[in-house]
Structure formats: structure tokens, C-alpha cells
């Protein structure tokens, strides 16, 4: 019996978010508030980009995809976590755990690729602006976005199906607030060292390589900005690029630590804190980071407010 309900032998038990924390009810209410703000902020950004024809360019199309990913990512994690806490039912089925893990990985992998594309978009815009309309055409952008989603889905399917079939001999208690591959692997009584190596290699491909490409892109952008004669152009380029670099740091930092070193002894509290920061707090900050420092987005917001006022 767990939380008043009987569980089957295939169910998992989610311990929850910092179960030893004395003020857990306050923490969960804060998490729900952050989720609501993240959901509304990203939804608003998507509506602004879709509704304003001036924002129908590659830079903002990629930004809308990032907002869609963040909106869906938080919705994959927070509602189940909140439901488990307030109902006392900490059980998640084998299918439910696999589904949550699949969507979490798919969205995370897609976000890695989208952020890399955003860096490439800024590199072309700043370093070779005359060729920008040719290279970053709308068709090319849409094809690349589709590729990000397809690539994320395939990678996630592989890394969900395979670890979910590892035998679990002992406790099925997951010391986390959602189903995540590194935590699931720790429950297995089988030797998973080979698969762990595969995950590290995958992390290099999907985290370290994109992060290195992003850093290389921004190094070239910075050198190009330094050589600019226009002070206004320099400020605009730095403002746009600094926003993206902030988001990149918030996303890649915690995830590289989790997936590149998950074979070492992470405490459950460390895993939860990093996941909380990367997957719940960061999606709330992204709309603020991009909108407050972006005149085009602010103008689209004012236009929308004006329409609502007239209505």
C-alpha cells in the first residue's frame, strides 16, 4: 500500500520533491506558481510571434519553437508532481513512467538542437548579413525545425524503450519527482555499465558538441561585433546574443552535469535541485529574458494590448 492505494508489481513510487524538506507544501505551491507563469509566459510569446507578421522570420520562428518546448516540458513534469503531492498518491505506472520519460527526453533533445540553430541564425545575421536571406530562408528554417523534432523523437524513443526493460529486483522507489533515465538506471539490478557509456556518448553528441558549436558561433559573433562601426548595431547585436547565451548557460550547464557524470555518486538532492532549476525555473525565465530585451517582441505585445483595448 502506498498513499492509500495498492500498487502493482510494475508500478513505480515517486518519492517527490525534497521529501525531507519541512515546508514542502510551501515549496509545492511555489512550483505550481512558477509553472503557471512559465506556461502563460511561453504561451503569450507563441501567440505574439504567430499573430504578428513582422515576427515571421527565422529568428522568431526558432524562438516560438523554444517556447513551445518549454511550455510542454513543464506540463510533462509539474502537474503529475503536484497531483502526487496533494493527493498523497505517489504511484506512477510503468507506462506512465515511460511516457513521461519519452516526452521529457524528446523535448530536451529537441531543445539542444533548437538552441544550436538559434546560435547559427545569429552567426549568419551578424557575420554574413548579405547572405542571410539566402542561407536562412523560411523553407530552410522550417525543415531544420522539423529535423530537430524528428531527431529528438527518435533519440528519445531509443533511450526510453531500452532502459525501461532493465530488470528491477529490489525497491521500485524513485528518489526523484519525475521519471528520468539516470534515476531509473540506478534501480536496476543488472550491470548497466555498457548502457551508461552509450548515454555518455549520446550526451557528448547532443550536449557537448552543440554547446561547443554555440560557443564557437558566439566567439565569431563577438569578434565581428567588435569590428562594427555602428554603435547602435553593436548594441543591438550584443543584446540579442547575450539573451541567447543566458538561456544556453541555464540549459546546458545543469544537463551536462547530470548526464555526463551520472555514473558518479550524485545525491538525490543534487539531481532534484539541478532538474528543478533546468526544467522548471528556466522555462519561466526564458520568455522574460527574450521579451524584455527585444524591442520587436515588446512592440508586438503593445500592439496586442492595443487591440484588446479597442475591443
Amino acid at each position: 500500500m502506498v498513499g492509500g492505494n495498492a500498487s502493482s508489481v510494475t508500478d513505480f513510487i515517486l518519492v517527490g520533491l525534497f521529501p525531507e524538506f519541512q515546508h514542502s507544501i510551501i515549496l509545492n505551491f511555489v512550483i505550481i506558481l512558477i509553472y503557471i507563469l512559465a506556461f502563460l509566459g511561453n504561451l503569450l510569446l507563441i501567440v505574439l510571434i504567430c499573430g504578428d507578421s513582422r515576427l515571421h522570420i527565422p529568428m522568431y520562428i526558432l524562438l516560438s519553437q523554444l517556447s513551445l518546448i518549454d511550455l510542454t516540458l513543464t506540463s510533462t513534469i509539474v502537474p503529475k508532481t503536484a497531483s502526487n503531492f496533494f493527493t498523497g498518491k505517489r504511484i506512477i505506472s510503468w507506462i506512465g513512467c515511460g511516457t513521461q520519460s519519452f516526452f521529457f527526453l524528446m523535448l530536451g533533445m529537441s531543445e539542444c538542437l533548437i538552441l544550436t540553430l538559434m546560435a547559427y541564425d545569429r552567426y549568419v545575421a551578424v557575420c554574413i548579413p548579405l547572405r542571410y536571406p539566402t542561407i536562412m530562408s523560411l523553407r530552410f528554417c522550417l525543415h531544420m525545425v522539423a529535423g530537430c523534432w524528428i531527431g529528438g523523437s527518435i533519440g528519445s524513443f531509443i533511450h526510453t524503450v531500452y532502459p525501461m526493460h532493465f530488470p528491477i529486483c529490489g525497491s521500485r522507489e524513485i528518489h526523484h519527482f519525475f521519471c528520468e533515465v539516470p534515476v531509473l538506471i540506478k534501480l536496476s539490478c543488472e550491470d548497466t555499465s555498457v548502457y551508461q557509456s552509450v548515454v555518455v556518448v549520446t550526451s557528448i553528441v547532443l550536449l557537448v558538441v552543440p554547446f561547443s558549436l554555440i560557443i564557437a558561433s558566439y566567439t565569431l559573433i563577438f569578434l565581428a561585433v567588435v569590428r562594427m562601426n555602428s554603435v547602435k548595431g553593436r548594441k543591438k547585436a550584443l543584446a540579442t546574443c547575450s539573451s541567447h547565451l543566458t538561456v544556453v548557460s541555464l540549459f546546458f550547464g545543469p544537463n551536462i552535469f547530470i548526464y555526463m557524470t551520472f555514473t558518479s555518486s550524485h545525491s538525490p538532492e543534487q539531481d532534484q535541485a539541478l532538474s528543478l532549476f533546468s526544467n522548471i525555473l528556466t522555462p519561466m525565465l526564458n520568455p522574460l529574458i527574450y521579451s524584455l530585451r527585444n524591442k520587436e517582441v515588446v512592440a508586438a505585445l503593445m500592439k496586442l494590448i492595443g487591440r484588446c483595448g479597442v475591443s
Side-chain angles (χ1 to χ4, degrees), residues 29 43 46 53 74 80 104 114-115 158 170 180 217 248 303:
F29 273 118
L43 181 62
I46 293 170
S53 58
T74 53
K80 178 62 177 175
F104 172 76
I114 289 290
L115 288 171
I158 294 170
E180 192 175 16
S217 297
V248 166
K303 185 178 178 181

Side-chain angles (χ1 to χ4, degrees), residues 4-114:
N5 285 352
S7 62
S8 73
V9 293
T10 60
D11 289 342
F12 294 97
I13 303 167
L14 290 169
V15 170
L17 184 62
F18 302 121
E20 303 299 326
F21 187 61
Q22 294 182 352
H23 306 288
S24 56
I25 189 168
I26 298 175
L27 177 62
N28 278 272
F29 273 118
V30 171
I31 296 302
I32 292 172
L33 177 61
I34 291 173
Y35 166 67
I36 293 171
L37 293 175
F39 188 94
L40 294 177
N42 284 290
L43 181 62
L44 176 60
L45 201 52
I46 293 170
V47 169
L48 290 175
I49 293 171
C50 293
D52 195 323
S53 58
R54 294 172 299 177
L55 302 181
H56 294 174
I57 58 176
M59 173 184 172
Y60 293 108
I61 290 173
L62 294 173
L63 180 55
S64 70
Q65 295 302 301
L66 179 63
S67 291
L68 179 61
I69 289 171
D70 285 341
L71 183 153
T72 313
L73 181 63
T74 53
S75 298
T76 300
I77 299 172
V78 178
K80 178 62 177 175
T81 302
S83 173
N84 284 359
F85 177 79
F86 288 106
T87 62
K89 300 175 182 179
R90 299 182 295 159
I91 297 170
I92 185 169
S93 66
W94 184 85
I95 294 176
C97 187
T99 302
Q100 190 179 58
S101 179
F102 170 77
F103 279 103
F104 172 76
L105 285 174
M106 179 192 71
L107 295 164
M109 291 179 181
S110 299
E111 185 162 352
C112 289
L113 300 174
I114 289 290

Side-chain angles (χ1 to χ4, degrees), residues 132-236:
Y132 182 82
T134 305
I135 297 175
M136 291 301 297
S137 65
L138 188 59
R139 183 178 180 181
F140 172 78
C141 180
L142 294 175
H143 284 170
M144 293 304 293
V145 166
C148 290
W149 283 102
I150 294 170
S153 299
I154 294 172
S156 175
F157 181 78
I158 294 170
H159 285 287
T160 299
V161 171
Y162 192 76
M164 288 297 292
H165 283 86
F166 282 135
I168 298 172
C169 308
S171 171
R172 302 182 72 87
E173 192 173 75
I174 299 174
H175 292 273
H176 213 325
F177 56 97
F178 69 99
C179 289
E180 192 175 16
V181 169
V183 183
L184 288 172
I185 291 175
K186 292 178 181 179
L187 298 180
S188 177
C189 56
E190 187 177 281
D191 182 16
T192 61
S193 58
V194 175
Y195 178 70
Q196 289 178 8
S197 300
V198 172
V199 173
V200 171
V201 172
T202 305
S203 300
I204 292 173
V205 174
L206 289 171
L207 287 171
V208 177
V209 172
F211 184 69
S212 301
L213 291 173
I214 291 170
I215 295 301
S217 297
Y218 278 103
T219 301
L220 295 174
I221 289 171
F222 179 76
L223 294 174
V225 168
V226 169
R227 293 194 295 266
M228 282 185 179
N229 295 323
S230 171
V231 176
K232 184 179 179 180
R234 188 183 304 164
K235 288 182 178 179
K236 183 178 180 180

Side-chain angles (χ1 to χ4, degrees), residues 223-286:
L223 294 174
V225 168
V226 169
R227 293 194 295 266
M228 282 185 179
N229 295 323
S230 171
V231 176
K232 184 179 179 180
R234 188 183 304 164
K235 288 182 178 179
K236 183 178 180 180
L238 288 175
T240 304
C241 296
S242 61
S243 298
H244 186 231
L245 271 177
T246 303
V247 172
V248 166
S249 302
L250 293 174
F251 175 81
F252 278 95
N255 282 295
I256 287 175
F257 181 81
I258 291 172
Y259 286 93
M260 292 295 295
T261 63
F262 79 94
T263 52
S264 62
S265 56
H266 289 182
S267 69
E269 290 76 18
Q270 284 179 318
D271 288 331
Q272 290 187 30
L274 289 169
S275 293
L276 180 65
F277 181 81
S278 177
N279 303 312
I280 298 178
L281 184 60
T282 300
M284 181 197 71
L285 297 175
N286 286 353

